[in-house]
């Protein structure tokens, strides 16, 4: 997991910094147009660098914060098998955060700066993690819908013009597909279970459907950075295109589960060969992004507590390393 | 985190008989911790049988600006490849 169209939440890209020559910018764009990959030491426009730093670091934060709603269920997983799977998934999310932080660092921001931005609340992360996981079925819905939406967003980033981000994304997408399948399996088991279990699955779908739909970010009309990101080949499809793809593949999966998508206006449109959804509540989306979702404060407090509780370990490790490095090497 | 631990580059040998290949980087307080973190971050699915780590600061890389002068001279030397030479069909084992 878990990128969403976070490119829309930052400041406008800076105008070309002084000293950037038009010729350099043209050469850069020609390389991007030719599908050449840009690597850390290559010249790049400052706005490209800043856009990537923002997008990759927000993506990394999303992975790290994304460990919280699921980690919450590790001790309560219904069987040893489910527990082992959940631990593996949460550990993967941590790993994905590490790949992404490393990719962002190649652009000149430090890990410490990124952590500082997350913990101080100035950095954004995916809005989806500010919703609570109330029942075991939520873990199924997250894997199926949230990871499904994330995969839809992330597969095109495997072809991103920035090499380190693209490579991180290839690795992440490879690991991600188990996340979605284990989630669907949880939903399927519940959907085929008792009446109470089916109700639990339906309730989870009811609560996670719209937040998952919103993961694709604002509609194209309101997405101010899309055109530039597309020119730079950071982004390959618009928010609405990806959202439509997700709806088209997910509706039949819900039908297979025998669960109802909580949208009375949802219908198949034979003309366009697409499922059309009802209006999205963007007020909710913006409220959650601004910090007023159900769990925003709880998530950041959990991250700050973890940072604080681990401080002595980091300091001890650093002190140990310093001591070891000053010791005279012993004769063989 | 007040200071970053040093950055290490990670190289993994995926199977015995193959070379170590660069897979990414990570922060660690020392070399031992770098190996342990690399195990957790880069080999969760049996991706490796051996790990190398080295301080990123110790890598010396070529300058992208010099790519042409470094690599262009090889471009017109197609005679270094076996396909450059036309050999009659009937000649075997060549």
């Amino acid at each position: 997991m878990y990128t969403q169209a976070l490119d829309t939440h930052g400041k406008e890209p800076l105008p070309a910094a002084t000293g950037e020559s038009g010729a350099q910018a043209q050469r850069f764009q020609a390389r991007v147009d030719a599908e050449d990959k840009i690597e850390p030491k290559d010249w790049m426009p400052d706005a490209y660098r800043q856009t990537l730093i923002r997008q990759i670091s927000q993506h990394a934060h999303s992975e790290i914060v994304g460990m919280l709603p699921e980690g919450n269920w590790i001790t309560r997983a219904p069987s040893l098998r489910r527990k082992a799977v959940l631990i593996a998934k949460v550990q993967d999310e941590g790993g994905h955060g590490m790949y992404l932080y490393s990719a962002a660092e190649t652009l000149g921001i430090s890990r410490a700066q990124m952590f500082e931005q997350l913990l101080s609340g100035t950095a954004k992360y995916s809005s989806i993690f500010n919703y609570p996981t109330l029942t075991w079925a939520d873990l199924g819905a997250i894997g199926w819908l949230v990871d499904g939406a994330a995969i839809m967003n992330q597969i095109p980033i495997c072809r991103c013009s920035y090499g380190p981000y693209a490579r991180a994304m290839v690795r992440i997408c490879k690991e991600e597909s188990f996340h979605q399948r284990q989630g669907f399996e949880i939903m399927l088991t519940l959907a085929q279970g008792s009446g109470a279990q089916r109700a639990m699955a339906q309730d989870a779908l009811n609560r996670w459907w719209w937040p998952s739909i919103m993961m694709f970010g604002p509609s194209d009309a309101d997405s101010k950075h899309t055109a530039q990101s597309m020119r730079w080949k950071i982004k390959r499809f618009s928010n609405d295109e990806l959202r439509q793809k997700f709806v088209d593949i997910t509706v039949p999966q819900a039908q297979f589960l025998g669960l109802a998508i909580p949208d009375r206006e949802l219908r198949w449109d034979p003309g366009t060969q697409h499922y059309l959804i009802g209006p999205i509540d963007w007020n909710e989306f913006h409220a959650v992004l601004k910090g007023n979702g159900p769990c925003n404060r709880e998530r950041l407090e959990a991250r700050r507590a973890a940072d604080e509780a681990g401080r002595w370990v980091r300091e001890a490790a650093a002190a140990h390393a310093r001591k070891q490095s000053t010791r005279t090497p012993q004769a063989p | 985190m007040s200071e970053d631990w040093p950055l290490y580059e990670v190289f993994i040998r995926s199977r015995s008989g193959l070379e170590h290949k660069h897979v990414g980087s990570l922060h660690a307080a020392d070399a031992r911790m770098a190996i342990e973190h690399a195990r957790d971050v880069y080999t969760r699915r049996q991706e490796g049988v051996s790990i190398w780590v080295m301080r990123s600061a110790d890598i010396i890389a070529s300058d992208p600006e010099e790519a042409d002068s470094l690599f262009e001279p090889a471009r017109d030397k197609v005679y270094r490849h076996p396909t450059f030479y036309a050999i009659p069909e009937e000649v075997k084992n060549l």
Side-chain angles (χ1 to χ4, degrees), chain A residues 1 56-57 59-64 67 91-105 111 114-115 172, chain B residues 41 44:
Chain A
M1 294 185 217
I56 302 172
S57 64
H59 192 168
H61 298 327
S62 301
E63 303 284 353
I64 298 303
M67 297 167 82
Q91 194 187 12
D92 272 357
E93 308 304 356
H96 297 175
M98 295 304 116
Y99 308 152
L100 289 161
Y101 281 128
S102 290
E105 281 173 87
R111 186 78 59 109
M114 287 187 275
F115 283 171
I172 289 174
Chain B
V41 177
R44 291 193 301 280

Side-chain angles (χ1 to χ4, degrees), chain A residues 260-280:
Chain A
I261 290 193
D263 178 359
R264 285 209 196 113
E265 294 180 43
L266 179 76
R267 64 184 174 88
W268 172 251
D269 179 45
T272 58
Q273 294 285 299
H274 287 302
Y275 284 98
L276 303 184
I277 57 170
I280 297 168

Side-chain angles (χ1 to χ4, degrees), chain A residues 264-316:
Chain A
R264 285 209 196 113
E265 294 180 43
L266 179 76
R267 64 184 174 88
W268 172 251
D269 179 45
T272 58
Q273 294 285 299
H274 287 302
Y275 284 98
L276 303 184
I277 57 170
I280 297 168
D281 181 2
W282 291 116
N283 290 335
E284 177 181 322
F285 177 73
H286 291 297
V288 175
L289 271 185
K290 280 208 188 77
N292 300 319
C295 299
N296 294 57
R297 272 171 288 275
E298 188 184 324
R299 299 292 182 237
L300 275 191
E301 273 162 25
R303 286 310 315 156
R304 288 186 195 123
D307 185 66
E308 200 48 51
R311 183 182 305 278
W312 71 271
V313 180
R314 296 192 301 274
E315 285 171 358

